[in-house]
Amino acid sequence: MAEEMLRMEGVSKSFGPTKANRDINLVLNKGILLGLAGENGSGKSTLASMVCGMQKKDSGKFYKNGLNYDPHSPADAAAHGVAMVVQELGVVGNLPGVVNMFLGKMDPYTKGPMVDLKAMKRDAKAVFEKWNLPLVPLDVPAGSLSIEQRKIMELARALITEPDFLVLDEISQALSQDNRQVLYQFIETFKSKGRTILMVTHDLEEMMEISDEIAVLRDGVIVESRAAGDYTMDELKRLMIGREVSGDYYRDDKEERYEDEVVLEVRNLTVPGKCEDISFDLHKGEILGICGLSDAGIHEVGSAMFGLEEGRRGSIVVKAENKELKKTSDLIKTGGAYLSKDRDAHGLMLDAGIGDNLIVPSVKELSGPAAYLSPVKTKALAQRASEAFEIKSSGLGHVVRRLSGGNKQKVNLSRWLVKDLKYIILDCPTRGVDIGVKAYIYSVLKKAKKDGIGVVMISDELQEAMGMSDRILVMKEHRAAGMLSRSSDFTEDKIMEVML
Amino acid sequence: MAGQTSTASANLKKKRLRSQILVIAAIVLVFIVCHFITGGRLLRTNNIKAILTQVTYPLMVGLGMMFIFSTGMIDLSVGAQVILAGNVGAIAVEILGLGYPGLIIGTIVVMIICELLCTSCSLFIGIPSWVAGLGCALVFEALGMILVDSQAEALGTAIVYMKKCNALGQFPVIFIIAVIVFIASYFIFNYTKFGFNLRAIGGGGEVAEAMGINRKKTILLAAVIGAVVIAIGGITQLSYTGRFTPTSGMGSLSGIFKSLAVVLISGSFSRIFNDAVGCLVGSFIVAGLFNVLTLVGVPSGTGQDICLGLVVMLCGILASLRYKGVMK
């Protein structure tokens, strides 16, 4: 009989009138990965954060290895062998990676008043080596690392205390294809040592593939929990949403279909060391996917097009107006929009309310005489965007920082999509969103395509890129390695062949 | 991947070192140019001594502020605290006859109490730190006025003038003390658990707390260390000038204006120098600038302040040039 690692009995948690978790009963055995499935706002992250001591439960009990377990802080959880890589927690940007990894755990490295940084670095590297994780720069401020490097560093940080229970909340969606494989290998190794993982991911294919068991949360309640192999994809979706979800949310046509008219002409786009000599045309009504392994430069193409990268060369021309995009404001003036992969750092005003975030891109259109912003108009727009994307919150004044990852992305996207756009550059648009929102985003993209909007969709998920794109630009080592067409080349093998 | 990582890391270090050398070389060059502009007076031995003396107070107060501000506490009552604490020290020497122990202990203890009071207002009552700082400044200024008025009468003067215990303000003692304070601050800030904790609190309070760092304890400890460093600056300044004139109506802010400029310059150079070294560089820029402006006859208070404001902004612009942001 499998040995028990963590038991939850009658665990509940409320935030004011909102019941985030109700009477949760769950058992996680040793050596397994339990996937926690559910829509945004279903209570997954709350449950995960209670397990790792970030939040106190209102009632109920946790037992770890048969003993009462009631962590009052993440440090206390770590002392009980529970570590985490969770959405809400990040890194301290102004401190080097090595210091970030040992925050709160420096006592063994303290010699008198001094901290032995060399020993810390040595032991940090040993963690990366032990678990076969790709080493990230440890000497530079963590804020200067890419989101992917930060996530890998957070994983290594969690492993420093040699936990036997690990909480992973939406880690894989920050990773590219190759580093996801690294993560999966790590998970296998971790489990093989009799240790347990509680994983939250919105990628249901991934969840079905790597989980041993899956528990489904809906409106804060566990509605089903059993072996992963006993679910079908449609059943899992139905359990999460509470109704039948049509089988496929991607495009069902097999042909690339777009107009001849070119919306954006990109020529020899180069950012030294990041992307080299990238050229393509984006047509009216086309979804152009951009894919590649980590460090291939796919995300930099998006940020370079938006004008965020220093030393950009080459040209990006909006053909209808024959206007060259030189700075970020040019993109917005010509009916364009850009969504960064790192929505917290580059997309949202985290400490402002939902309403303020929603109206920001439309302030010019909403402005009246003497730049007067009518509260009626701004509220109406914010309300429309909020309702269209079903943002779960206490109202337009709800601070964005307090939203779940999926709801943050809804705010990020909806404020652009209520505008009259000609083209949009999306960097991982479905990162951290649940299946319901994913389906909604894809339906919006399909509509945008139908309306003649050109879409550049940078994606770390091959299935998504294949499912939605007319063509895929595959990048390798910062350069374009091939342009594949929906009608002839869209197989995973073919794309991987070009990537590698 | 590991190879790429170490190369990226090494490249970044090289770039940083190059920038550091460039900034220091630029400052030295500016000093040399100014030497000729001032008719060869700037780098004369006596003037160098004057500059090294003028560096000390903005540097030590700036370093103290660095500890306090790094936790996210913007305390603008520091000037009022130094005036109050310094006058307590001066009274301990002149009226109570307690000599150096009275000066040192009196100033440091009062400074610590004031800083802890101000920090606690923000930390435990939840008032924004800058609001708490301004409120405390008014209170400390008033207390300073009341104290000096009551004690100066006994001395038959308008203010408490410290005629004894002046050795700590003489060159090179004052400069040696500043160097020791800088070295100690540098190591505390960059190589101790406390230093990392306080920077973690300032850089990401929620992350730091989740990692087991006691936020309140760290902030209070930073307040104490900051207060001690500022108090040492206050003691040497008091020994140097012999007095701290009490002010009211936020006049105390002008007393820490140069130190604030040092902290601002340090912040501007944060991508090139760590904060402590940034304070050192900043204090040389500020002291050098005021010295040059005085030598060429630019009026103090107006022309000199305009120049300082421009220099602070220039430092920010220069430090931001070619900033690459996220590293890949």
Side-chain angles (χ1 to χ4, degrees):
Chain A
M1 188 178 160
E3 214 177 326
E4 184 179 302
M5 171 74 81
L6 188 85
R7 173 183 289 273
M8 306 178 195
E9 280 184 5
V11 174
S12 297
K13 174 78 184 174
S14 297
F15 297 101
T18 311
K19 290 186 177 1
N21 287 135
R22 281 184 290 166
D23 195 27
I24 303 288
N25 293 291
L26 207 55
V27 175
L28 288 91
N29 289 326
K30 288 186 178 173
I32 66 140
L33 184 152
L34 183 134
L36 209 48
E39 280 190 284
N40 287 131
S42 60
K44 306 181 300 294
S45 293
T46 304
L47 186 61
S49 63
M50 284 191 290
V51 170
C52 49
M54 289 184 72
Q55 298 198 53
K56 293 285 285 178
K57 57 189 181 316
D58 293 340
S59 59
K61 286 194 167 177
F62 291 136
Y63 295 95
K64 185 160 180 285
N65 295 319
L67 300 172
N68 189 32
Y69 166 66
D70 187 18
H72 53 77
S73 68
D76 187 33
H80 286 87
V82 176
M84 64 195 170
V85 182
V86 296
Q87 280 189 92
E88 295 82 1
L89 209 62
V91 294
V92 181
N94 61 337
L95 291 176
V98 63
V99 177
N100 263 283
M101 287 185 65
F102 287 93
L103 276 180
K105 309 175 194 88
M106 286 185 200
D107 284 340
Y109 300 93
T110 306
K111 286 181 182 171
M114 307 276 283
V115 169
D116 189 347
L117 281 168
K118 273 187 186 168
M120 275 164 53
K121 195 171 171 186
R122 181 197 63 218
D123 289 357
K125 279 184 176 172
V127 172
F128 281 94
E129 276 168 27
K130 177 181 175 181
W131 296 102
N132 280 323
L133 299 176
L135 186 63
V136 301
L138 295 171
D139 296 328
V140 300
S144 66
L145 300 176
S146 70
I147 190 168
E148 186 166 10
Q149 288 173 320
R150 291 205 296 264
K151 275 290 161 199
I152 292 167
M153 198 189 75
E154 283 180 59
L155 177 59
R157 179 174 69 185
L159 295 167
I160 276 178
T161 52
E162 282 292 331
D164 57 8
F165 190 94
L166 191 58
V167 177
L168 301 177
D169 191 352
E170 287 180 24
I171 178 173
S172 57
Q173 303 219 338
L175 304 178
S176 53
Q177 288 291 329
D178 47 345
N179 278 328
R180 282 186 192 204
Q181 295 307 318
V182 171
L183 175 72
Y184 301 153
Q185 279 169 18
F186 156 76
I187 286 170
E188 284 309 313
T189 314
F190 193 80
K191 286 191 326 183
S192 70
K193 296 176 187 290
R195 304 180 189 189
T196 304
I197 296 173
L198 174 66
M199 186 164 180
V200 177
T201 175
H202 285 301
D203 187 338
L204 294 185
E205 284 88 2
E206 174 187 71
M207 182 176 280
M208 296 277 278
E209 202 175 313
I210 64 172
S211 299
D212 299 290
E213 295 172 18
I214 295 175
V216 183
L217 266 169
R218 192 169 71 229
D219 298 327
V221 177
I222 298 275
V223 292
E224 190 63 73
S225 177
R226 58 177 192 253
D230 294 348
Y231 291 93
T232 64
M233 184 60 81
D234 285 345
E235 184 191 14
L236 191 57
K237 290 176 186 172
R238 181 177 55 76
L239 285 165
M240 282 172 59
I241 311 279
R243 56 182 158 76
E244 288 297 335
V245 180
S246 56
D248 204 355
Y249 41 51
Y250 296 131
R251 284 168 60 179
D252 48 17
D253 58 322
K254 302 289 174 201
E255 293 280 319
E256 60 269 24
R257 285 176 210 275
Y258 47 81
E259 296 180 29
D260 288 338
E261 185 182 335
V262 174
V263 181
L264 269 184
E265 182 192 82
V266 178
R267 290 290 176 272
N268 310 109
L269 181 67
T270 300
V271 178
K274 294 181 176 177
C275 58
E276 304 278 343
D277 219 14
I278 306 293
S279 297
F280 60 82
D281 288 335
L282 175 69
H283 295 261
K284 198 172 175 185
E286 179 185 22
I287 300 178
L288 176 70
I290 302 184
C291 285
L293 298 177
S294 68
D295 294 331
I298 59 173
H299 308 293
E300 288 80 355
V301 170
S303 52
M305 287 176 74
F306 190 45
L308 290 177
E309 299 287 348
E310 281 272 343
R312 186 186 85 179
R313 294 200 302 266
S315 70
I316 305 157
V317 177
V318 180
K319 290 301 278 183
E321 300 171 33
N322 202 23
K323 164 98 178 161
E324 189 171 348
L325 301 183
K326 289 186 174 167
K327 49 187 188 287
T328 53
S329 57
D330 291 341
L331 186 129
I332 294 160
K333 280 179 196 159
T334 53
Y338 167 73
L339 253 83
S340 162
K341 181 180 178 182
D342 191 350
R343 60 174 170 257
D344 283 6
H346 303 131
L348 296 166
M349 302 183 294
L350 291 176
D351 293 315
I354 293 172
D356 289 345
N357 272 279
L358 289 174
I359 65 163
V360 160
S362 306
V363 163
K364 197 178 171 191
E365 292 88 330
L366 290 169
S367 293
Y372 173 68
L373 277 176
S374 157
V376 177
K377 279 187 188 172
T378 52
K379 194 178 173 189
L381 179 96
Q383 198 71 46
R384 183 155 52 93
S386 177
E387 283 169 8
F389 267 65
E390 296 170 358
I391 298 164
K392 287 182 184 173
S393 70
S394 58
L396 294 176
H398 194 118
V399 174
V400 168
R401 189 183 289 281
R402 302 288 168 214
L403 291 175
S404 67
N407 276 303
K408 279 183 190 167
Q409 186 67 340
K410 287 181 187 177
V411 174
N412 200 17
L413 256 176
S414 60
R415 60 192 183 157
W416 288 109
L417 292 172
V418 292
K419 283 172 68 90
D420 185 19
L421 297 176
K422 292 191 177 69
Y423 62 96
I424 184 164
I425 302 158
L426 303 171
D427 195 349
C428 301
T430 59
R431 182 179 159 245
V433 304
D434 66 44
I435 182 174
V437 184
K438 226 176 192 180
Y440 183 76
I441 291 171
Y442 293 145
S443 73
V444 169
L445 291 184
K446 285 178 206 168
K447 184 175 177 302
K449 175 180 166 59
K450 203 175 162 189
D451 293 344
I453 297 173
V455 179
V456 174
M457 188 177 71
I458 298 160
S459 182
D460 284 328
E461 294 182 40
L462 272 189
Q463 289 298 331
E464 175 177 88
M466 289 194 300
M468 292 304 297
S469 307
D470 292 289
R471 295 181 299 157
I472 296 179
L473 172 71
V474 182
M475 288 182 66
K476 182 182 173 186
E477 292 168 357
H478 313 298
R479 291 178 176 275
M483 182 70 87
L484 308 180
S485 300
R486 186 171 189 83
S487 57
S488 52
D489 304 314
F490 275 17
T491 65
E492 205 162 313
D493 289 345
K494 214 160 197 172
I495 295 173
M496 287 304 286
E497 193 185 316
V498 183
M499 271 187 193
L500 298 168
Chain B
M1 180 88 177
Q4 283 175 358
T5 300
S6 35
T7 312
S9 205
N11 284 342
L12 215 75
K13 275 184 180 173
K14 265 187 203 167
K15 273 183 195 167
R16 197 172 149 98
L17 182 67
R18 207 181 307 144
S19 302
Q20 287 170 345
I21 294 169
L22 212 65
V23 169
I24 291 167
I27 292 170
V28 171
L29 189 69
V30 169
F31 266 81
I32 292 169
V33 170
C34 288
H35 176 66
F36 292 108
I37 291 172
T38 56
R41 288 179 290 166
L42 181 69
L43 299 179
R44 277 187 196 155
T45 313
N46 279 345
N47 200 51
I48 288 174
K49 280 181 190 173
I51 291 173
L52 293 181
T53 305
Q54 287 157 9
V55 158
T56 56
Y57 185 61
L59 171 63
M60 286 189 272
V61 177
L63 288 169
M65 284 179 173
M66 173 188 78
F67 282 109
I68 298 162
F69 288 12
S70 292
T71 60
M73 294 280 156
I74 307 301
D75 180 9
L76 297 175
S77 70
V78 166
Q81 292 175 29
V82 179
I83 291 171
L84 178 62
N87 276 295
V88 169
I91 288 164
V93 173
E94 292 298 322
I95 296 174
L96 303 177
L98 297 174
Y100 282 107
L103 170 66
I104 293 167
I105 295 169
T107 308
I108 289 177
V109 168
V110 173
M111 187 74 207
I112 289 173
I113 292 170
C114 290
E115 187 53 50
L116 281 179
L117 276 173
C118 186
T119 305
S120 301
C121 283
S122 177
L123 201 57
F124 298 110
I125 306 172
I127 307 168
S129 59
W130 65 274
V131 176
L134 291 177
C136 286
L138 291 170
V139 173
F140 296 145
E141 280 181 350
L143 288 176
M145 296 280 279
I146 294 165
L147 178 74
V148 171
D149 281 350
S150 65
Q151 299 299 316
E153 216 174 3
L155 297 170
T157 53
I159 57 167
V160 177
Y161 196 88
M162 194 176 83
K163 294 170 188 158
K164 303 166 201 161
C165 299
N166 295 328
L168 299 177
Q170 305 299 310
F171 190 85
V173 177
I174 190 169
F175 186 69
I176 292 167
I177 292 172
V179 169
I180 292 168
V181 168
F182 167 74
I183 292 169
S185 299
Y186 177 84
F187 278 97
I188 292 171
F189 198 70
N190 294 298
Y191 293 100
T192 66
K193 193 175 96 174
F194 162 73
F196 289 129
N197 285 355
L198 83 92
R199 287 157 68 194
I201 296 283
E206 286 180 11
V207 183
E209 280 192 279
M211 293 290 107
I213 295 169
N214 187 326
R215 181 172 166 268
K216 286 181 178 167
K217 189 177 147 191
T218 306
I219 290 175
L220 289 174
L221 195 55
V224 170
I225 292 176
V228 171
V229 172
I230 293 168
I232 296 171
I235 291 165
T236 54
Q237 183 71 359
L238 184 62
S239 294
Y240 177 60
T241 61
R243 67 186 187 279
F244 270 127
T245 309
T247 59
S248 59
M250 300 304 300
S252 59
L253 264 178
S254 65
I256 54 163
F257 184 64
K258 287 181 187 173
S259 305
L260 276 174
V262 164
V263 174
L264 287 173
I265 292 172
S266 169
S268 300
F269 283 128
S270 61
R271 292 189 199 104
I272 299 173
F273 299 111
N274 74 55
D275 288 8
V277 177
C279 280
L280 182 68
V281 172
S283 56
F284 269 96
I285 291 174
V286 170
L289 176 76
F290 277 89
N291 192 286
V292 169
L293 293 175
T294 306
L295 288 176
V296 296
V298 175
S300 64
T302 50
Q304 292 193 2
D305 287 354
I306 290 171
C307 291
L308 178 61
L310 292 174
V311 166
V312 170
M313 285 191 277
L314 185 69
C315 290
I317 293 165
L318 290 175
S320 303
L321 283 179
R322 299 193 63 77
Y323 174 55
K324 292 279 199 287
V326 173
M327 177 182 165
K328 303 288 173 186

